[in-house]
Amino acid sequence: MDDRVAADQPTEPRGEPAQAGSARGKFITFEGGEGTGKSTQAATLARRLESMGVGVLLTREPGGSPGAEIIRHVLLSGAAKPFGPEAEAMLFAAAREDHIKCAIEPALEASKWVVCDRFADSTRVYQGAVGAVDPRLIKALERVSVGELKPDLTFILDVPVTTGLQRAAGRRRGSQPDRFEGEQLEFHEKLRRAYLALAEAEPERCVVIDASMSKKEVAKRVWNAVNARLDPAMSPMIYENLAR
Ligand code: TYD
């Protein structure tokens, strides 16, 4: 049975599988505010792709490479907060540049699919739309750190702010909120609105998913959208693995 959601029709025609090793992998990112379940959904999608023979790099930002993990610690501990949102934006960009160079690009080149928990949209939203960093700086940083790389598909997981914050608090089990979780409710409301505006501006790349549903239902919708838009069954890597 074809249970694809109607809104997720393929954006590109399907063709013959590419020759093994000839095609870059696909790049999928998960975005959203705090406690939206991105990490769980990214891991579930990665396992599902792997189970059908697609090679996957499951990664996250800030972090994902040894250099970027060091910057992650500086950012999430709040150590960079006194320098202001511009400096934080620069640090996120520096971490991203290292992550792309050391992990994301090599994986895509090797025909792997990259599933990334947060990427450049997080800087656009947290530092740009909400942190009020000059859009020209956000653009310039993105140009320098990301260049031409663009996700093939971005999931924006959307939940009411209070639900997200409750989930994030439950996950922490009494430990201190990190640099961004500790912000006021208004900050999180702005985040949510900014993500929805971003999705509206780029519907060809972004799919908004109501993440207040069960994990299983969210995973099903994610999987339907991946199949409808990117067709993992055509991944050259599957054919490569079958030939072994
Ligand atoms: P993390 O512990 O990975 O939490 P989450 O589950 O919310 O992703 O924390 C990453 C935090 O960093 C999160 O609050 C969002 C923030 N962030 C930015 O502000 N800008 C960025 O570019 C990125 C990648 C993350």
Side-chain angles (χ1 to χ4, degrees):
M1 196 187 83
D2 187 351
D3 61 354
R4 287 180 192 126
V5 280
D8 290 319
Q9 290 307 308
T11 51
E12 285 171 15
R14 291 159 187 237
E16 290 302 309
Q19 288 301 302
S22 66
R24 273 166 71 83
K26 300 289 183 192
F27 183 27
I28 302 173
T29 58
F30 282 82
E31 295 281 355
E34 312 296 317
T36 49
K38 297 177 306 303
S39 313
T40 306
Q41 293 300 331
T44 304
L45 174 62
R47 272 199 308 275
R48 211 154 178 182
L49 287 166
E50 271 168 351
S51 74
M52 65 186 288
V54 178
V56 177
L57 169 70
L58 173 64
T59 186
R60 65 152 181 206
E61 289 205 348
S65 63
E69 288 292 330
I70 295 169
I71 303 177
R72 175 186 174 89
H73 177 71
V74 173
L75 281 161
L76 297 195
S77 66
K81 189 177 176 184
F83 301 108
E86 283 80 11
E88 286 182 318
M90 287 184 226
L91 286 170
F92 278 114
R96 183 160 302 127
E97 200 261 345
D98 191 66
H99 183 209
I100 293 170
K101 192 175 65 198
C102 299
I104 296 178
E105 268 301 337
L108 292 172
E109 279 295 311
S111 300
K112 283 190 180 175
W113 286 39
V114 175
V115 178
C116 192
D117 182 355
R118 295 195 183 281
F119 191 62
D121 292 319
S122 285
T123 303
R124 289 185 189 180
V125 167
Y126 277 74
Q127 283 67 50
V130 181
V133 172
D134 188 326
R136 287 169 303 181
L137 177 59
I138 298 287
K139 259 202 179 136
L141 288 172
E142 198 171 311
R143 202 168 50 242
V144 172
S145 60
V146 178
E148 298 298 308
L149 180 65
K150 190 174 157 192
D152 296 290
L153 179 57
T154 295
F155 288 104
I156 295 182
L157 302 191
D158 180 58
V159 290
V161 163
T162 43
T163 311
L165 290 177
Q166 270 162 13
R167 282 187 189 169
R171 195 178 56 189
R172 278 198 312 274
R173 291 194 192 92
S175 66
Q176 286 297 307
D178 72 25
R179 155 75 181 88
F180 296 96
E181 283 167 358
E183 290 282 355
Q184 302 295 312
L185 209 61
E186 177 55 19
F187 173 94
H188 297 284
E189 295 283 3
K190 274 192 191 162
L191 276 183
R192 186 179 184 205
R193 287 196 295 272
Y195 269 122
L196 293 176
L198 195 146
E200 216 175 295
E202 291 191 57
E204 72 294 343
R205 172 171 72 87
C206 300
V207 173
V208 179
I209 298 205
D210 174 1
S212 55
M213 294 175 302
S214 69
K215 282 181 196 168
K216 207 171 154 196
E217 185 56 35
V218 175
K220 187 174 149 203
R221 293 189 182 204
V222 165
W223 187 238
N224 286 344
V226 167
N227 275 289
R229 292 187 174 225
L230 301 179
D231 206 358
M234 303 302 255
S235 165
M237 215 172 221
I238 292 179
Y239 295 88
E240 214 170 70
N241 288 340
L242 284 176
R244 281 203 186 117

